[in-house]
Structure formats: structure tokens, C-alpha cells
Amino acid sequence: MIIISRFLVGINAGVSMNVQPMYFGESAPKHLRGAVSLSSAVFTSFGLVVGQVVGLRELLGCESCWPYLLASNAVPGFFQLLTLPWFPESPRYLLIDRGDKDACLKALRQLRGSEVQRAELDEILQEQAEAEGRRAQQPWELFTDHSIRWQLISVTVLSSAMQLCGNDSNLLIEQQGRRLLLMGGYALMTGWAVVFTVALSFQKVVHWMPYLSMGCVFTYILSFGMGPAGVTGILPTEIFNQTARPAAYMIAGSLMWLNLFIIGMIFPFLVQGLGQYCFVPFGAVCLLTALYIGFFLPETKGKTLSAITNEFNKLNFHEQEATGKRKQAQYQLGEICHSTAL
């Protein structure tokens, strides 16, 4: 029974960690989309902290109380069952997927607590027009769709790097933008990984190096929380349209859990084989991810889906545009010369 219950809890965790940021991103106004979606990551971290505290031996972590510790997750689950029926459906889902404009307007009024802004409704209607006649895509169909090739590559890279960086919040997301926080977070993590490696190498020679190592651990985690931890989860909402967004979240979530499993399995062998250099692979992942973000990922803060898609199309159809320009130059008409000398 314990194995079955843990299996069901795991399914719920995997589904909710993808559905929640998608729901928040689809329901939030454009100027608050990042901060609202980030709340999912913030409260997930808060839940982890509460679970660690409740699991202390002084509370429910003792031998006599561990059954109550395993059953304690029923409390938030029961609370959600009571409150979620009162939540409105995602306005974008109601209008784009179901074509119910009245239900969309009702949901927007309930979420905003006021009349719907015309600009916000026009944005959703524009996305509906762009997705007209297209059904929801399956995850495997995204791999063959060239129009979203670089969006999929970006989500794949960032979702994988989020776990492969070695890590098992803020309002800056709406002030500094997603791209800067992601690139800055991974760049700082690269630097701290280098300092951490140096500190581990000299901790038996210099007496204060262990303190530096401990400081590097905290700053590494802090750098992760400042950017990658909060921003990665909201990107599929911003860079995929309504027909591809659920499938994109399935791919992103699967990659995060898969890579988390891989890191959990191989980390003891990395420590045994590399010793003080065990963080070098993680630093390399952070550096490559920061370079990818700097060269290929456009800023999405405060932009409509149409504007973001146009920026990605420059990458998705770069080869076709280059081929078209070469053909145009090849068949360019010559100049007409009017001269009596001819």
C-alpha cells in the first residue's frame, strides 16, 4: 500500500508541476505573467521546506510517527479538492480550444475582478486567429514541426540544464526580464562551480577553505533560485501557442524528472571517480547553457505571443530565407543600358 500511495503521489506531483505554471501563464495578464507563474515555483519550494521541517525527529520523523508523516500530504490534497472547483477555467483554453467566448469573458471577469480590458481580449483573439483550424498537437508531433523547432530546442536545453546543473523568486522576473535572469543565473553558477572546485582542491592545505566551500554551496543554490529555478517553468507558456503548449509542458516535465533521476543515480559515482573535481561537469553544463541563452533565446518579458513567435521564426526559417535570397540574387535582372554606342 505504501508503494502504491507513493506512486500515486508521484503522478500527482509530475502532473501538477506542469499544469500549475501553464494555468497561471494562460490566466495572468501580460505584464504580470512572469511573476504570477513564478508563484508556482515559490510555493513548491515552500512546500519542500515545510516537508523537511515536519520530517525532523522532534516532530513526525520519529519511529512512532512516520505513518502520520507519510499521510500528512493528504491535508493539502483535501484543501485543493475543496477549493479548486471554484476556480475558473483558463480563458485561453475556453476561447481557443473550445470556442466559447462568453465563458472566456466570464472567466476573465472572475479572475480580474473587473471588466475585461480590450487590449487583453484582442491579444487572446489574435492567438485564436493564428491557431484557427489547428488541433492540439501531440508531444511527438513537436519534433517534426519546423515552425517551432527552436522553441522546442530552447525548452529541451533549459529543462535539462535545470537538473543537470547539479541542483536537486523573486520580483526581478518582471523588472529584469527572463533572458537576463537565466543567462546571469547560469553564468554565476559557472563561476561558483569553479571557485568550489578550487576550494575543494585546497581545503586540506588552507585552513579556511572549508568555509569557502560552504559559502559556494549557498551562493550556487542562490544563483539557481534567482534565475533558472523560477524562469524555466514559465517559458513554455510564453513561447508556444495554445495548440502546442500542453505537449511542450509534457516534454519539459518529462525531461526534468528524467534528468533528476539520472543525476541522483550517477552523482555518487562522479564523487567517487572525480573527487574534488565532481562539480566540473555541472559547471560545464551551466556555461554551455548560458552561451545558448545568450545566442539563441529572445527576451519574452511583456511581449505578445505573436511578437515572440516572429523572433523565433528568424531562427526557424533562417535557412529558407537564406536560400530564397541566394535564388533572388542568382536570377536578378541586369540593368538596361540606353546608349547610341550600342
Side-chain angles (χ1 to χ4, degrees), residues 1-10:
M1 292 299 293
I2 293 177
I3 295 176
I4 294 175
S5 65
R6 298 302 294 170
F7 177 75
L8 295 176
V9 169

Side-chain angles (χ1 to χ4, degrees), residues 130 134 145-152 154 239-241 296 298 305-322:
E130 294 173 354
R134 300 178 60 183
D145 190 345
H146 292 288
S147 65
I148 56 173
R149 177 174 52 186
W150 280 95
Q151 289 96 314
L152 183 62
S154 298
I239 65 179
F240 286 95
N241 58 32
F296 299 110
L305 176 63
S306 178
I308 297 170
T309 302
N310 289 334
E311 293 197 40
F312 271 109
N313 284 342
K314 297 176 183 178
L315 296 172
N316 293 328
F317 302 106
H318 175 72
E319 295 180 1
Q320 291 88 328
E321 292 179 359

Side-chain angles (χ1 to χ4, degrees), residues 2 4 17 48 50 78 107 111 116 126 134 137 156 168 190-191 223 279 288 295 306 319 326 335:
I2 293 177
I4 294 175
M17 287 186 69
L48 291 172
V50 172
F78 181 72
L111 288 167
V116 181
Q126 181 182 1
R134 300 178 60 183
Q137 293 178 277
T156 301
D168 190 15
T190 303
S223 300
F279 257 72
L288 293 175
F295 284 112
S306 178
E319 295 180 1
R326 285 197 298 268
E335 297 180 356

Side-chain angles (χ1 to χ4, degrees), residues 118-136:
R118 184 64 190 178
E120 183 177 8
L121 183 60
D122 288 342
E123 180 190 348
I124 302 178
L125 289 171
Q126 181 182 1
E127 185 176 348
Q128 181 194 32
E130 294 173 354
E132 190 69 33
R134 300 178 60 183
R135 62 173 179 82

